[in-house]
Amino acid sequence: VQLQAFGGGLVQPGGSLRLSCDVSGFDSGYYAIGWFRQAPGKEREFVATVMWSGGSTYYGVSVKGRFTISRDNAKNTVYLQMNSLKPEDTAVYYCAIAKDYGIVILGSAYDYWGQGTQVTVSS
């Protein structure tokens, strides 16, 4: 199983970015696919996740209302649209898959991780 995240970069405060995560080698349905982030010197933080069954979405408190997670099953891709970006959104963003039931806001629920893509919000 491989997850490849891309789309990060440098953006000014108030700007937008869309991250993508391509999934390959995963033939069966998963429980959830989501995004986490980690800033230097900080713990990993839950950003958003989308459930395989039903497509329900969940967001971290700090991004709710600004970020939107979506998926394209035909392309095996999940997206994270990030709007109204703030300097505190600066981090490496990782996509991950949870195979089975778990508490999806916890990183320990996820089995496969991508390599991460850097997002820097700065003027």
Side-chain angles (χ1 to χ4, degrees), residues 10-120:
L10 174 64
V11 63
Q12 292 187 342
S16 298
L17 277 177
R18 188 177 81 157
L19 305 184
S20 300
C21 177
D22 288 341
V23 180
S24 60
F26 199 85
D27 298 328
S28 59
Y30 49 80
Y31 181 64
I33 183 167
W35 292 91
F36 287 75
R37 67 186 183 186
Q38 188 163 21
K42 294 189 176 181
E43 293 186 354
R44 183 173 57 194
E45 178 187 10
F46 169 73
V47 176
T49 200
V50 57
M51 312 305 288
W52 171 261
S53 178
S56 296
T57 56
Y58 301 93
Y59 295 91
V61 172
S62 60
V63 307
K64 195 170 185 179
R66 300 187 297 123
F67 291 11
T68 302
I69 188 170
S70 61
R71 63 183 184 183
D72 185 330
N73 291 340
K75 296 181 178 179
N76 288 330
T77 300
V78 64
Y79 304 98
L80 185 68
Q81 178 66 43
M82 305 186 295
N83 298 328
S84 302
L85 283 162
K86 306 175 181 179
E88 50 264 43
D89 294 317
T90 296
V92 178
Y93 284 70
Y94 300 89
C95 56
I97 286 178
K99 293 189 301 180
D100 302 305
Y101 175 83
I103 301 174
V104 295
I105 64 171
L106 299 179
S108 57
Y110 294 78
D111 304 283
Y112 303 104
W113 293 81
Q115 84 288 1
T117 184
Q118 176 71 46
V119 172
T120 302

